[in-house]
Amino acid sequence: MKHITILAPSCATTLGTVACIAGAYEILTRANTYCKQSQGRQLFNIEIAGTTPRTALANGLFTVKTHSFVTDLSKTNLIIIPSLPSSFDRSAPENVALLQWIEKQYKNGAEIASMCSAAFMLASTGLLDGRNCSTHWNFANKFRTQFPNVNLQTDELITDEHGIYTNGGAYSFLNLVLYIVEKYFDRHTAIYCSKIFQIEIDRHRQSGFIIFEGQKQHSDEMVREAQAYIESQLSEKISVETLSAKFAIGRRNFDRRFIKATGNTPIEYAQRVKVESAKKAFETTRKSINEVMYEVGYSDLKAFREVFRRFTGVSPLVYRSKYNKDSAQLQ
């Protein structure tokens, strides 16, 4: 029988950690039971493992009784790392031992799944270097600063590469668990779990939930001034040539510095700022799509729709209908 290990780390944890452990264990156990009833076989031994018999979580608010010690597990097929604070300390002695165990298991053939900000722990092993990864969009700037060699994909809900799975923020870990159920059991079982636990299946992006606040956690003052200028010119169409000339710098050098500081090209940054402003207008006002489009500097409805969909995953009309309580009256 194959083995799935859900970690109960003894490091700093949150209520999100509790939710991830409980949710993953319940759904995977139900998938096992379903397969036993429908196919006459139980596919996995699912265990919660830690470094102590009882692990206190969320500042002691909850305690989980572990099934086993990670040090006693010489072989597992899948390691699930629950959400952890983004302040994860890779240098703490208990964390060093756990990171070494994760690396060893991966080299021995185990797959790894990180939930939400557990990506900080997984990235600390070095296993994500040069690979794609997702985490909560709210931690994106911090993650990029700490792990510049990882290809962070903030729009993606789930990444799947070389036996490593990562997912976006908060309770989207439930979508990752369904994804794992389909890969480790089968599609039919995943659909069953989706219906039992009422989780939307086949959700692939978290872009619709992102609140773009600008990438300001850098020290390039020229780029900061350029960002402020872009944000102050919402209704204008700004070219890179105009920006680079304004700051008396060559276009290529301007692009390079802007991308290094923010992770976006100047044009992408301007588009994100405009889309975020449009989202807020759709959420809080009764303005028409055309009115909002003009306010954020677009005159071509097709172009506006394309840019909006690229960053949110849906059309302006769908977004407004979803997030504006008066949307039914605006049709």
Side-chain angles (χ1 to χ4, degrees):
M1 186 182 297
K2 292 185 176 181
H3 190 275
I4 295 177
T5 302
I6 303 171
L7 290 184
S10 57
C11 57
T13 55
T14 66
L15 289 173
T17 313
V18 179
C20 287
I21 293 173
Y25 185 76
E26 183 177 18
I27 295 170
L28 290 170
T29 300
R30 177 61 72 92
N32 237 1
T33 301
Y34 177 75
C35 282
K36 188 174 182 179
Q37 293 172 345
S38 62
Q39 303 174 21
R41 60 195 182 107
Q42 185 168 305
L43 299 181
F44 294 95
N45 178 21
I46 303 163
E47 289 190 317
I48 299 173
T51 56
T52 57
R54 292 180 180 273
T55 301
L57 303 172
N59 293 318
L61 189 60
F62 292 90
T63 300
V64 61
K65 181 181 179 182
T66 55
H67 297 111
S68 59
F69 296 113
V70 291
T71 50
D72 293 335
L73 293 173
S74 58
K75 175 68 176 176
T76 189
N77 298 97
L78 174 67
I79 300 167
I80 296 177
I81 310 174
S83 174
L84 295 169
S86 62
S87 57
F88 174 77
D89 182 5
R90 73 181 90 178
S91 63
E94 65 274 16
N95 292 339
V96 170
L98 195 53
L99 293 174
Q100 290 174 343
W101 179 80
I102 291 171
E103 287 184 74
K104 181 179 178 181
Q105 289 296 325
Y106 182 71
K107 290 176 181 177
N108 288 339
E111 296 191 325
I112 305 171
S114 75
M115 296 172 163
C116 188
S117 48
F120 284 83
M121 182 184 202
L122 181 54
S124 295
T125 65
L127 294 175
L128 286 175
D129 286 355
R131 294 177 177 174
N132 293 322
C133 169
S134 184
T135 189
H136 197 297
W137 56 262
N138 201 33
F139 301 132
N141 292 340
K142 183 175 183 180
F143 188 91
R144 286 193 180 98
T145 299
Q146 289 189 22
F147 305 105
N149 295 325
V150 179
N151 302 322
L152 187 61
Q153 305 292 324
T154 51
D155 290 341
E156 299 300 320
L157 189 70
I158 295 170
T159 66
D160 175 351
E161 190 175 8
H162 301 294
I164 295 179
Y165 312 93
T166 68
N167 94 283
Y171 284 79
S172 69
F173 79 85
L174 295 168
N175 300 97
L176 175 62
V177 178
L178 281 187
Y179 186 84
I180 288 171
V181 168
E182 181 169 357
K183 292 209 72 167
Y184 275 70
F185 293 83
D186 52 44
R187 175 71 175 180
H188 193 66
T189 304
I191 292 172
Y192 170 79
C193 289
S194 170
K195 292 179 178 179
I196 288 293
F197 295 102
Q198 299 188 37
I199 306 166
E200 183 182 350
I201 199 168
D202 292 334
R203 193 181 136 216
H204 301 295
R205 296 172 65 84
Q206 64 172 338
S207 50
F209 297 92
I210 293 175
I211 301 172
F212 185 73
E213 297 175 328
Q215 299 106 335
K216 305 290 178 61
Q217 296 177 345
H218 60 82
S219 57
D220 193 322
E221 188 57 35
M222 185 272 289
V223 173
R224 283 181 183 275
E225 291 180 16
Q227 289 173 279
Y229 181 77
I230 290 171
E231 292 162 11
S232 70
Q233 303 293 315
L234 268 180
S235 61
E236 302 299 324
K237 185 175 181 180
I238 306 172
S239 69
V240 180
E241 288 79 6
T242 300
L243 281 170
S244 57
K246 179 176 178 61
F247 294 97
I249 184 174
R251 172 171 176 166
R252 290 182 64 183
N253 196 27
F254 179 78
D255 268 345
R256 180 186 60 78
R257 285 177 61 175
F258 201 99
I259 293 169
K260 182 179 179 181
T262 70
N264 285 129
T265 67
I267 296 301
E268 288 170 342
Y269 188 86
Q271 289 172 336
R272 284 186 177 274
V273 169
K274 290 173 183 291
V275 167
E276 191 61 33
S277 179
K279 284 163 58 181
K280 290 176 181 176
F282 290 139
E283 293 165 12
T284 60
T285 75
R286 297 174 62 87
K287 293 176 180 176
S288 70
I289 291 173
N290 280 347
E291 286 177 309
V292 172
M293 175 186 74
Y294 291 131
E295 284 184 358
V296 297
Y298 284 88
S299 56
D300 184 314
L301 184 57
K302 182 180 179 182
F304 176 62
R305 283 175 178 159
E306 289 177 352
V307 171
F308 193 91
R309 183 182 291 276
R310 186 191 317 152
F311 292 116
T312 67
V314 296
S315 70
L317 181 60
V318 170
Y319 189 91
R320 186 183 66 174
S321 299
K322 187 174 184 179
Y323 289 105
N324 193 307
K325 65 180 182 180
D326 298 323
S327 61
Q329 302 174 32
L330 300 174
Q331 303 302 324

